[in-house]
Amino acid sequence: MSVELKPASKYERKIFYKEEWNVKDVPDFIRNSLTSREFGFDHYGNGPNDRYKVFVDDLRLKRFIKVKQPFAAYCSVAFYDKPNQRKGWQKSELVFDVDAKDIPIRTCDCAEGEVCEKCLNQAKEIVLMIRDVLSGDFGLTNINLIYSGRGYHVRVLDEDVMDASSELRGDIIQYVTGSKLPDLSNEYGFNDLQPFIIPFGYPKNFTRWSKYTILHLRRSSKLDDVNNQLLRDVLKHRNLLQEDLWGMFRSNIGPIRYKKVMNAVSRINMQITDTKVSIDLKRILRLPSTLHSKVSMKSTLIKNIETFDPFDDAVPKFVYERND
């Protein structure tokens, strides 16, 4: 059957938390640090206004959620000495938030704010690319992938990045998403990233993301400083990038116009993830295992991203029992 991404009723939330939700489905990387994290809840669909919650063990978290059956549940990416006051910051996960409804160049025909199977698959492709850069270029290993309900969260808990400042996180985001024109005089492209061993260098990663973006452009795409004629020329010659013939692509576009295109592409790449989420050291994110009530999907820790299908692995039982 097809899954309709519509809001869950109060009764459906009750059924989900009574019969399906299990505190043991909360990922270990959160359960093992409960007393250092802030929890927040949205009980009525108006946003997380019940915040500064702390749970000393699984049992108390379980009791709270089973009783409250929240519209949405969140926990902080930050670790605190006093999470109930958000004081004594220790460190924070490095997070990449890829929401299918916010992908800048979507290949589907969804209306604004909506998601479908096609754009969710596109979000998954992006997450795979982010994961590969984090592990391949930065050598990070504690990378957790979460289906959020309308997209994906990449949550990194390597100690090398947990104490990074907002400024350094901003540089990491630009590197990972290919959203800065490369400085070819610098092997890395980013002076601030020298503490990390980056074997391939930034230009290769920028090329990879730029190719992805250009190959996904549509006639209706809007790019800064790129007029309709230039966009048509890009679409006409972009098949050259399938063979990585960048020199021929540049020649056919023209060097000045090519630079305009690459500047515009780098700005699009920056919109692939929600930058505000990544640099916010005190952000709260949807708690994996809980319900995204706006679309009736489960936020889910992904064990195998290659085989993960949200329409098989993240649909609550009550969705299949609806009688419309």
Side-chain angles (χ1 to χ4, degrees):
M1 69 177 273
S2 61
V3 175
E4 184 181 1
L5 302 178
K6 70 177 187 179
S9 67
K10 185 175 181 180
Y11 174 75
E12 288 171 335
R13 297 204 311 269
K14 178 180 179 180
I15 293 298
F16 174 78
Y17 285 111
K18 179 181 179 181
E19 299 181 359
E20 189 169 351
W21 181 79
N22 192 320
V23 71
K24 292 182 179 179
D25 292 332
V26 176
D28 289 344
F29 72 85
I30 294 175
R31 291 172 58 208
N32 293 340
S33 54
L34 280 183
T35 57
S36 298
R37 294 183 186 262
E38 177 209 359
F39 286 77
F41 299 90
D42 173 4
H43 298 295
Y44 306 106
N46 299 320
N49 53 14
D50 183 10
R51 298 192 56 173
Y52 301 98
K53 298 291 186 185
V54 181
F55 300 96
V56 298
D57 54 33
D58 285 1
L59 179 59
R60 286 170 175 78
L61 176 62
K62 174 184 174 181
R63 286 175 175 170
F64 184 92
I65 290 181
K66 288 280 190 181
V67 170
K68 295 293 186 179
Q69 301 152 9
F71 187 88
Y74 306 84
C75 78
S76 67
V77 301
F79 293 61
Y80 302 96
D81 294 329
K82 297 179 180 179
N84 60 330
Q85 301 176 35
R86 281 194 289 176
K87 291 183 178 180
W89 180 86
Q90 301 171 3
K91 56 188 178 181
S92 296
E93 302 170 27
L94 173 65
V95 175
F96 295 82
D97 180 7
V98 180
D99 195 323
K101 67 179 174 59
D102 296 325
I103 296 173
I105 304 293
R106 291 205 285 180
T107 56
C108 64
D109 297 313
C110 279
E112 184 176 352
E114 295 181 355
V115 297
C116 67
E117 186 172 0
K118 192 170 185 179
C119 60
L120 284 171
N121 284 335
Q122 189 180 355
K124 179 179 172 180
E125 290 178 11
I126 291 170
V127 164
L128 284 166
M129 292 174 68
I130 291 173
R131 182 201 62 179
D132 290 349
V133 178
L134 290 170
S135 59
D137 283 26
F138 287 85
L140 300 173
T141 58
N142 196 348
I143 303 170
N144 301 275
L145 306 180
I146 310 292
Y147 177 68
S148 64
R150 288 192 300 196
Y152 294 85
H153 294 154
V154 182
R155 304 178 65 160
V156 186
L157 284 91
D158 290 71
E159 292 297 331
D160 288 343
V161 295
M162 289 274 278
D163 61 355
S165 65
S166 293
E167 291 74 21
L168 180 54
R169 289 168 193 254
D171 282 341
I172 293 173
I173 297 158
Q174 285 187 304
Y175 185 106
V176 170
T177 60
S179 53
K180 177 180 178 181
L181 288 176
D183 176 5
L184 298 179
S185 66
N186 181 337
E187 179 184 359
Y188 303 104
F190 291 84
N191 290 320
D192 292 343
L193 297 184
Q194 296 292 347
F196 298 98
I197 300 174
I198 303 174
F200 302 112
Y202 178 67
K204 178 178 179 179
N205 189 51
F206 176 79
T207 300
R208 181 191 187 204
W209 279 103
S210 298
K211 175 180 176 180
Y212 177 87
T213 294
I214 292 172
L215 291 178
H216 283 78
L217 290 174
R218 309 173 80 179
R219 289 188 178 276
S220 59
S221 298
K222 302 297 182 183
L223 288 77
D224 293 342
D225 299 325
V226 174
N227 59 34
N228 290 335
Q229 181 58 54
L230 179 50
L231 177 59
R232 285 195 292 269
D233 289 344
V234 169
L235 297 177
K236 178 181 177 181
H237 298 292
R238 66 179 174 181
N239 62 305
L240 294 167
L241 302 185
Q242 296 281 14
E243 304 298 328
D244 290 321
L245 299 175
W246 283 89
M248 292 181 63
F249 177 73
R250 181 177 182 273
S251 296
N252 287 333
I253 299 298
I256 295 176
R257 298 166 84 225
Y258 175 81
K259 186 173 181 180
K260 282 187 177 181
V261 171
M262 300 313 290
N263 269 300
V265 165
S266 68
R267 289 192 286 271
I268 290 174
N269 291 348
M270 177 60 89
Q271 301 171 42
I272 286 170
T273 68
D274 188 336
T275 306
K276 298 189 297 296
V277 172
S278 298
I279 64 175
D280 187 350
L281 302 179
K282 297 186 177 182
R283 175 71 57 160
I284 58 174
L285 289 182
R286 193 172 302 278
L287 179 63
S289 76
T290 61
L291 186 66
H292 192 312
S293 295
K294 288 185 178 180
V295 289
S296 297
M297 297 281 271
K298 292 185 292 185
S299 178
T300 305
L301 175 66
I302 300 170
K303 296 180 180 178
N304 187 332
I305 184 66
E306 282 82 3
T307 62
F308 177 78
D309 182 348
F311 293 98
D312 285 335
D313 303 320
V315 179
K317 294 177 183 177
F318 68 76
V319 170
Y320 298 112
E321 298 169 357
R322 284 172 169 164
N323 293 315
D324 292 336

